[in-house]
Amino acid sequence: MANSKARIASNIKNEELVNIRRQELINAAVKLFVEKGFHKTTVREIAKEFGMSMGALYDYIRTKEDILFLVCDHIFKSVSNKLEASLKSEKDTKEKLRGAIRDYFNIIDSIQDYTLLLYQETKSLNRKDRNYVLSKEMELTKIFENIINQGIKEKTFKIDRRTAKIVANNIMVQGQMWSFRRWVAQKNFSLKNYIKIQTDLIINSIS
Amino acid sequence: MANSKARIASNIKNEELVNIRRQELINAAVKLFVEKGFHKTTVREIAKEFGMSMGALYDYIRTKEDILFLVCDHIFKSVSNKLEASLKSEKDTKEKLRGAIRDYFNIIDSIQDYTLLLYQETKSLNRKDRNYVLSKEMELTKIFENIINQGIKEKTFKIDRRTAKIVANNIMVQGQMWSFRRWVAQKNFSLKNYIKIQTDLIINSIS
Amino acid sequence: MANSKARIASNIKNEELVNIRRQELINAAVKLFVEKGFHKTTVREIAKEFGMSMGALYDYIRTKEDILFLVCDHIFKSVSNKLEASLKSEKDTKEKLRGAIRDYFNIIDSIQDYTLLLYQETKSLNRKDRNYVLSKEMELTKIFENIINQGIKEKTFKIDRRTAKIVANNIMVQGQMWSFRRWVAQKNFSLKNYIKIQTDLIINSIS
Amino acid sequence: MANSKARIASNIKNEELVNIRRQELINAAVKLFVEKGFHKTTVREIAKEFGMSMGALYDYIRTKEDILFLVCDHIFKSVSNKLEASLKSEKDTKEKLRGAIRDYFNIIDSIQDYTLLLYQETKSLNRKDRNYVLSKEMELTKIFENIINQGIKEKTFKIDRRTAKIVANNIMVQGQMWSFRRWVAQKNFSLKNYIKIQTDLIINSIS
DNA sequence: TATGAATGAGACTTCATTCAT
DNA sequence: TATGAATGAAGTCTCATTCAT
């Protein structure tokens, strides 16, 4: 975890302070990025929301893009942490998958502005940072893939392992759909309903 | 068609000329947007690729954003036209759905740079233009929804109409997934394979 | 000549206009650089003196350093051109050397602010541009070296060719001394006097 | 000596501590100035090389320029001290001049990075400090002038006192030439050779 | 005394848009 | 209609200096 933040250089020596301030910075930036997008948000505005001078802001990062990375990284970690916390063992594999989907979709819903941001601005990162974020996303996908594979082994799910990979990705994408197709999903369905329908469809398609 | 282009004001009186030039403009812009994204492409670069002066370019549009709209609109029409052309009646509803999915995924694949562009830059449009583009996307989704509903009526598909709406959106999103998750989809599957697996999953989930 | 200016990229297509404007730019910049030095002169100030907007200024150059290069290049060409123009054949090699020294020192005196600038700011250029300027300076030095070598061949001067190289450089440096040690040279000597004394010393040392 | 350093104000009362620290500061700064020049070296970098905090650094100086003055002053004193130390009486005036030139050129060579620095950055000093440095340089020049004048009195050198002043300055400049025209001097000559040729030329020109 | 986080003015540069020709 | 030079506002980033601790 410190690992990813350490990717961004800082002038400040007090590491704890760096962490605190960066969290503040992330909060300030997320708010603005969600409102106006990365490109249309100026560093000056971020500094103001951050509550410090521009100079001070630049003591915690090197470039504007660093801020985006910090934000994306933070969002992913939020999702990962919450999802992993919720993955307490369930008896039944099918139930486990249902539970994971439910938790994941709920998390997405609770931070849907962030989700949107993540998928729309990732492309503004440089290659290295983008790859890092993508690798995080793949870790998440792997969680679903693993559960499905377990079900395959137990003969609960009647698909092959290659299909499992696709299903896992479908789950990810259908979760994100809740936020980036909100104009159709959220207009027509309650979250609970949406989760039930999507989960049934998925389980149905692999059983 | 003239309808949507007419949304953008022009100094030029000769409507036919406007249409020809705008198509050239779209081609020039798409190329650059795909390469570098909307924000990082300058109007100067577009004018150069367009082969006209900046002044001339501004005779065909009012703002840089207009170009993005023209491009997005064009891409959507490409998809719509191709898809509708392919929807010649098939006997069987299930086959019809399979065929539509196959055609749609193939179209996506053939213009995947455009697809990516569409989904990443739409947010840079102003509210009005964005809504217009979204409405086009909904029309497309409706095509799938209608086929599924027909299948429901015929008892081919065993879901309700509300679920049909979600499935239609899933199809759209899984198609787009081929391009915006290319690093996992295209790395692991041939297009033909991908289509087969996804189609089977969908059909399975609703049969 | 176009050669060296062509080193600097420009947004403007009309080449003639570029030449005119760059000359104006050089004039504006030299004035300020002489007054305050390169680093303490801002681009805004240059634009103001230049009489155009900052944007327009940047249509003729790419970076602030380009301006310095343009200025240095211009100064060197002034010296070179004037010196070469004055090198009309004189009968006697010794007289020819005397004449060249006199002309060179006079030129230095007439543009002494520039000379100072040249020798103090060259180091602020990037490697490539600095090398270019140095090569120009070496061409100039070569003029003196050639005359001396001719005198050696004619037995007028009683030194070897290696010493000739040093003498040529001494001449260059003693000319520059008139401007960058003005507080001692110009305080104590008239230019005419300074030239006579230095020339006699040089001729004396090699006869 | 304390005299010149006392020109720079300090917060610290303990004068001895100030002197020690300033020497360390000079060492740190010289290293960086030689590498990157005065303007491109940041105070932060100096503080780091100095091994103290920025606050501490500013206890020993008032402005960044003070550091440059300290450095220039230090360099001049190095040269002066070494040169004066080497001026132990020689019998013969001509030999004395030869010796002084040799020593001076050797000193220049041994600290040629410093020499370069001195002549390139002096202009960045404020008027007062610059004048102080110039006066130091004049003291040095005076050493040579005095020897030559002694030779004139003894009829060893056949020039007048005004010419002596110029010759003294020529010596200074030809010494510096070794470092700031290194690309021609050091490329073509060994130091020993360079000294011999220049010395012969000088002696020749005044004998 | 020493620390180093914070300030804030200002530097360079870019670029969508306009308008005289 | 067409050209492209010019505008000027705004953007990102730097850094000498200060001051609370």
Side-chain angles (χ1 to χ4, degrees):
Chain A
M1 291 195 58
N3 201 12
S4 68
K5 280 192 182 168
R7 291 166 62 93
I8 311 288
S10 166
N11 279 337
I12 306 296
K13 302 187 178 175
N14 180 340
E15 199 172 329
E16 199 174 353
L17 183 59
V18 171
N19 285 332
I20 295 171
R21 287 280 196 276
R22 280 193 176 162
Q23 189 53 54
E24 293 167 7
L25 175 55
I26 288 168
N27 294 338
V30 157
K31 181 157 177 276
L32 293 164
F33 289 171
V34 165
E35 270 172 37
K36 331 172 47 172
F38 175 69
H39 281 105
K40 292 199 179 149
T41 303
T42 70
V43 176
R44 211 178 296 276
E45 289 168 328
I46 298 172
K48 195 175 174 192
E49 186 75 33
F50 181 36
M52 305 196 91
S53 67
M54 300 206 44
L57 194 163
Y58 272 92
D59 278 340
Y60 294 94
I61 50 153
R62 282 274 179 275
T63 69
K64 186 187 174 189
E65 216 177 78
D66 280 354
I67 305 177
L68 181 57
F69 175 75
L70 245 24
V71 165
C72 288
D73 183 53
H74 173 72
I75 296 174
F76 250 122
K77 281 196 189 119
S78 293
V79 178
S80 293
N81 292 344
K82 286 186 190 173
L83 188 54
E84 266 150 29
S86 83
L87 280 182
K88 300 278 135 63
S89 64
E90 311 239 5
K91 338 87 232 199
D92 185 348
T93 305
K94 198 175 279 185
E95 273 322 294
K96 199 167 173 182
L97 182 58
R98 282 187 174 277
I101 294 174
R102 186 188 56 238
D103 290 338
Y104 176 57
F105 282 33
N106 273 310
I107 292 164
I108 294 263
D109 179 65
S110 71
I111 58 159
Q112 55 177 293
D113 287 340
Y114 294 20
T115 316
L116 216 49
L117 175 59
L118 196 57
Y119 287 94
Q120 284 178 336
E121 303 292 7
T122 300
K123 70 155 201 316
S124 297
L125 292 172
N126 61 47
R127 199 175 214 316
K128 226 177 73 182
D129 288 347
R130 197 168 55 238
N131 283 343
Y132 175 85
V133 169
L134 289 186
S135 76
K136 284 288 165 194
E137 143 92 24
M138 283 171 74
E139 283 176 27
L140 230 56
T141 313
K142 204 76 188 167
I143 292 176
F144 292 103
E145 195 178 339
N146 288 341
I147 301 177
I148 298 170
N149 279 331
Q150 192 188 335
I152 292 175
K153 223 184 301 175
E154 299 169 356
K155 317 262 186 193
T156 312
F157 300 141
K158 305 193 171 63
I159 53 172
D160 59 26
R161 293 177 71 101
R162 302 193 70 226
T163 304
K165 191 183 283 293
I166 289 191
V167 174
N169 277 281
N170 285 349
I171 293 171
M172 291 296 288
V173 160
Q174 284 162 22
Q176 290 150 23
M177 195 174 116
W178 178 251
S179 74
F180 66 69
R181 295 204 150 212
R182 57 175 79 178
W183 80 93
V184 43
Q186 304 191 23
K187 210 183 84 184
N188 293 292
F189 301 90
S190 70
L191 176 59
K192 207 173 153 191
N193 229 263
Y194 181 80
I195 292 175
K196 173 152 180 39
I197 295 175
Q198 287 286 30
T199 309
D200 287 346
L201 283 168
I202 292 162
I203 297 288
N204 226 25
S205 71
I206 61 179
S207 296
Chain B
M1 286 193 63
N3 199 12
S4 68
K5 282 191 183 170
R7 291 167 62 91
I8 311 292
S10 166
N11 281 337
I12 310 294
K13 307 292 174 202
N14 180 340
E15 197 171 331
E16 199 174 352
L17 183 59
V18 171
N19 283 332
I20 295 172
R21 286 280 207 283
R22 278 192 178 162
Q23 189 53 52
E24 292 167 11
L25 173 55
I26 286 168
N27 293 338
V30 157
K31 181 160 178 272
L32 292 165
F33 290 172
V34 164
E35 270 173 36
K36 330 170 50 171
F38 173 69
H39 280 104
K40 291 196 179 154
T41 302
T42 69
V43 176
R44 225 194 203 70
E45 289 167 326
I46 298 172
K48 195 177 172 191
E49 185 77 33
F50 182 33
M52 304 197 88
S53 69
M54 305 212 47
L57 195 162
Y58 270 90
D59 280 339
Y60 294 95
I61 50 152
R62 282 275 179 273
T63 70
K64 185 187 176 190
E65 217 177 77
D66 281 353
I67 305 176
L68 181 58
F69 175 74
L70 247 24
V71 165
C72 288
D73 182 51
H74 172 72
I75 295 174
F76 249 122
K77 283 196 188 119
S78 291
V79 179
S80 292
N81 292 345
K82 287 187 190 176
L83 189 54
E84 268 152 27
S86 83
L87 280 182
K88 301 276 133 63
S89 63
E90 310 238 7
K91 339 87 235 196
D92 184 347
T93 305
K94 198 177 279 185
E95 274 322 296
K96 199 169 175 180
L97 182 60
R98 280 187 175 278
I101 293 174
R102 185 187 58 239
D103 291 338
Y104 176 58
F105 281 32
N106 274 310
I107 293 165
I108 294 263
D109 179 66
S110 69
I111 57 159
Q112 56 178 291
D113 288 339
Y114 294 20
T115 316
L116 219 47
L117 176 60
L118 196 58
Y119 286 95
Q120 283 178 337
E121 304 292 8
T122 299
K123 71 158 199 315
S124 297
L125 292 172
N126 60 47
R127 199 175 216 316
K128 227 177 71 183
D129 288 346
R130 197 168 56 240
N131 283 342
Y132 175 85
V133 170
L134 290 186
S135 75
K136 284 288 166 194
E137 142 93 25
M138 283 172 72
E139 283 176 27
L140 230 55
T141 313
K142 204 75 188 169
I143 292 176
F144 292 103
E145 194 177 341
N146 288 341
I147 301 176
I148 299 170
N149 278 332
Q150 191 189 335
I152 292 174
K153 223 182 302 174
E154 299 168 357
K155 316 266 185 189
T156 312
F157 302 141
K158 305 194 172 62
I159 53 173
D160 58 26
R161 293 179 70 99
R162 303 193 68 226
T163 304
K165 191 183 284 295
I166 288 190
V167 174
N169 277 280
N170 284 351
I171 292 170
M172 291 297 288
V173 160
Q174 284 162 20
Q176 291 149 20
M177 195 175 117
W178 177 251
S179 75
F180 65 70
R181 294 203 152 212
R182 56 174 78 179
W183 80 93
V184 44
Q186 305 191 20
K187 212 184 81 184
N188 293 293
F189 301 89
S190 69
L191 175 59
K192 207 172 153 192
N193 231 261
Y194 181 79
I195 292 175
K196 171 151 182 42
I197 296 176
Q198 287 286 31
T199 309
D200 286 347
L201 283 169
I202 293 162
I203 298 288
N204 226 24
S205 71
I206 62 180
S207 297
Chain C
M1 288 196 59
N3 201 10
S4 68
K5 281 194 182 166
R7 292 167 61 93
I8 310 290
S10 165
N11 279 337
I12 306 295
K13 302 185 177 175
N14 181 340
E15 200 173 327
E16 199 175 351
L17 183 59
V18 171
N19 285 331
I20 295 172
R21 287 279 197 277
R22 280 193 177 161
Q23 189 54 54
E24 293 168 7
L25 175 55
I26 288 168
N27 294 337
V30 157
K31 181 159 179 270
L32 292 164
F33 289 171
V34 164
E35 270 173 36
K36 332 172 48 172
F38 174 69
H39 280 105
K40 290 198 181 150
T41 303
T42 69
V43 176
R44 210 180 295 276
E45 288 167 329
I46 298 172
K48 196 175 172 190
E49 186 74 33
F50 181 35
M52 303 196 92
S53 67
M54 302 206 44
L57 194 163
Y58 270 92
D59 279 340
Y60 293 94
I61 50 149
R62 283 274 177 277
T63 69
K64 187 188 175 191
E65 216 177 79
D66 281 353
I67 305 177
L68 181 56
F69 174 74
L70 245 25
V71 165
C72 289
D73 183 52
H74 172 71
I75 296 175
F76 250 122
K77 281 198 189 118
S78 293
V79 179
S80 292
N81 291 345
K82 287 187 190 176
L83 189 53
E84 267 152 28
S86 82
L87 280 183
K88 302 274 134 64
S89 64
E90 312 240 5
K91 338 90 233 197
D92 184 347
T93 305
K94 198 177 279 185
E95 274 321 296
K96 199 167 174 181
L97 182 59
R98 281 189 175 276
I101 294 174
R102 186 188 56 239
D103 291 338
Y104 177 57
F105 281 34
N106 273 312
I107 292 165
I108 295 262
D109 178 65
S110 70
I111 57 160
Q112 59 178 290
D113 288 340
Y114 294 20
T115 316
L116 215 51
L117 175 59
L118 196 58
Y119 286 94
Q120 283 177 337
E121 304 292 8
T122 299
K123 71 155 201 315
S124 297
L125 292 172
N126 61 46
R127 201 175 212 316
K128 226 177 73 183
D129 288 347
R130 198 169 55 239
N131 283 343
Y132 175 84
V133 169
L134 289 186
S135 75
K136 285 288 165 195
E137 142 92 25
M138 283 173 73
E139 283 176 28
L140 232 54
T141 313
K142 204 76 189 165
I143 292 176
F144 292 103
E145 194 177 341
N146 287 341
I147 301 178
I148 299 170
N149 279 331
Q150 192 189 333
I152 293 176
K153 225 183 299 174
E154 299 169 355
K155 316 263 187 194
T156 312
F157 301 141
K158 305 192 173 62
I159 54 172
D160 58 26
R161 294 177 72 99
R162 303 193 70 224
T163 304
K165 194 184 281 293
I166 289 190
V167 174
N169 277 281
N170 284 350
I171 293 170
M172 293 294 290
V173 160
Q174 284 161 21
Q176 290 149 21
M177 196 175 116
W178 176 252
S179 74
F180 65 69
R181 295 203 151 213
R182 55 175 79 180
W183 81 93
V184 45
Q186 305 192 21
K187 213 184 81 185
N188 293 293
F189 301 88
S190 70
L191 176 60
K192 209 173 152 192
N193 231 263
Y194 181 79
I195 292 176
K196 171 150 181 43
I197 295 176
Q198 288 285 32
T199 309
D200 286 346
L201 283 169
I202 291 162
I203 298 289
N204 227 25
S205 71
I206 62 179
S207 296
Chain D
M1 289 194 60
N3 199 12
S4 68
K5 282 192 182 168
R7 291 166 61 91
I8 310 291
S10 164
N11 280 338
I12 310 293
K13 307 290 174 205
N14 180 341
E15 197 173 331
E16 198 173 355
L17 183 59
V18 171
N19 283 333
I20 295 173
R21 286 283 207 280
R22 280 192 176 164
Q23 189 53 53
E24 293 168 9
L25 174 54
I26 287 168
N27 294 337
V30 157
K31 180 159 180 276
L32 293 165
F33 289 171
V34 164
E35 271 173 36
K36 330 170 49 170
F38 174 68
H39 281 105
K40 291 196 180 152
T41 303
T42 68
V43 176
R44 227 195 202 69
E45 288 168 328
I46 298 171
K48 195 176 172 192
E49 185 76 32
F50 182 33
M52 303 197 89
S53 68
M54 307 213 44
L57 194 162
Y58 271 89
D59 280 339
Y60 294 94
I61 50 152
R62 283 274 179 271
T63 70
K64 187 187 176 191
E65 219 176 76
D66 282 353
I67 305 176
L68 180 57
F69 175 74
L70 247 24
V71 165
C72 289
D73 182 52
H74 173 71
I75 296 174
F76 250 122
K77 283 200 187 113
S78 293
V79 179
S80 293
N81 292 343
K82 287 187 189 174
L83 189 55
E84 268 152 26
S86 83
L87 281 183
K88 300 277 133 68
S89 65
E90 311 239 5
K91 339 85 235 201
D92 185 346
T93 306
K94 198 176 278 185
E95 274 322 296
K96 199 167 174 180
L97 182 59
R98 281 187 175 277
I101 293 174
R102 187 188 56 238
D103 291 339
Y104 176 57
F105 281 32
N106 273 311
I107 291 166
I108 294 264
D109 179 66
S110 70
I111 57 159
Q112 56 178 292
D113 288 340
Y114 294 20
T115 316
L116 218 48
L117 175 59
L118 196 58
Y119 287 95
Q120 284 178 337
E121 304 291 9
T122 301
K123 70 157 201 314
S124 298
L125 292 172
N126 61 47
R127 199 173 217 318
K128 227 177 71 184
D129 288 347
R130 198 168 55 239
N131 284 342
Y132 175 83
V133 169
L134 291 186
S135 74
K136 284 288 166 194
E137 143 93 25
M138 284 172 74
E139 283 177 27
L140 230 54
T141 313
K142 205 75 189 165
I143 292 177
F144 292 103
E145 195 178 340
N146 288 340
I147 301 177
I148 298 169
N149 278 332
Q150 192 188 332
I152 291 174
K153 222 183 300 172
E154 298 169 358
K155 315 264 185 194
T156 312
F157 301 141
K158 304 192 172 65
I159 53 173
D160 58 26
R161 293 179 71 99
R162 302 193 70 226
T163 304
K165 193 183 282 293
I166 287 190
V167 174
N169 277 282
N170 284 351
I171 293 170
M172 292 295 289
V173 160
Q174 284 162 22
Q176 290 149 21
M177 196 174 116
W178 176 252
S179 74
F180 65 70
R181 296 203 150 210
R182 55 174 80 180
W183 81 92
V184 44
Q186 305 193 20
K187 212 184 82 184
N188 293 293
F189 302 89
S190 70
L191 176 61
K192 209 174 152 189
N193 230 263
Y194 181 79
I195 292 176
K196 172 150 180 41
I197 294 176
Q198 287 286 32
T199 309
D200 287 347
L201 283 169
I202 292 163
I203 298 288
N204 226 26
S205 71
I206 63 180
S207 295

